[in-house]
């Protein structure tokens, strides 16, 4: 009996091929890298926050993320952080404490460790 293209064995082979091809380490997103940087802040910076431009510089020097030839990565990061705050509310990884200044939010891993 002939199997159709969408049969289980054909799908299994297809997913195995994708897994073999996609075995490169997954690249971190700008938001993930920003959450890592904000989670590592200590002292006064942890309370006063830092700007998106400073986040981009720290992500670059820490080799967490680099812009794929974008002209305004700080603006893009700022907009993405604002979108996450608007969408997730209190569970967002970021909190905006002043215009252009961000800290680790209640949804970040750092905050979860402190309150747990």
């Amino acid at each position: 009996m002939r199997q159709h293209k969408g049969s289980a064995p054909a799908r299994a082979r297809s997913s195995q091929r994708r897994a073999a091809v996609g075995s490169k380490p997954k690249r971190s997103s700008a938001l993930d890298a920003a959450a890592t940087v904000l989670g590592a802040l200590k002292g006064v910076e942890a309370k006063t926050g830092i700007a998106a431009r400073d986040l981009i510089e720290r992500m670059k020097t820490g080799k967490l993320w680099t812009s794929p030839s974008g002209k305004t990565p700080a603006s893009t990061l700022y907009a993405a952080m604002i979108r996450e705050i608007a969408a997730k509310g209190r569970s967002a990884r970021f909190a905006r404490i002043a215009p252009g200044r961000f800290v680790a939010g209640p949804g970040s891993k750092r905050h979860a460790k402190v309150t747990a």
Side-chain angles (χ1 to χ4, degrees):
M1 176 177 228
R2 200 174 96 189
Q3 293 182 350
H4 298 285
K5 268 189 170 181
S7 66
R11 282 190 302 248
R13 284 191 304 272
S14 175
S15 65
Q16 288 170 351
R17 272 187 252 131
R18 278 193 301 262
V21 171
S23 61
K24 291 190 286 184
K26 187 178 177 189
R27 195 173 158 198
S28 176
S29 74
L31 286 176
D32 292 339
T36 301
V37 170
L38 288 173
L41 292 179
K42 292 184 172 85
V44 175
E45 282 186 329
K47 294 179 182 176
T48 60
I50 59 175
R53 181 169 289 154
D54 297 329
L55 279 169
I56 294 293
E57 287 302 317
R58 290 182 188 208
M59 292 177 341
K60 190 184 299 182
T61 58
K63 297 181 181 173
L64 296 172
W65 182 83
T66 55
S67 175
S69 71
K71 293 183 180 180
T72 57
S75 298
T76 304
L77 177 63
Y78 180 90
M81 291 169 76
I82 293 295
R83 277 194 310 271
E84 181 170 319
I85 292 168
K88 294 185 178 180
R90 300 249 337 129
S91 64
R93 296 177 285 178
F94 315 103
R96 189 176 127 197
I97 58 168
R101 308 226 24 116
F102 296 92
V103 294
S108 68
K109 290 179 183 176
R110 177 176 187 238
H111 193 273
K113 289 179 185 175
V114 172
T115 58

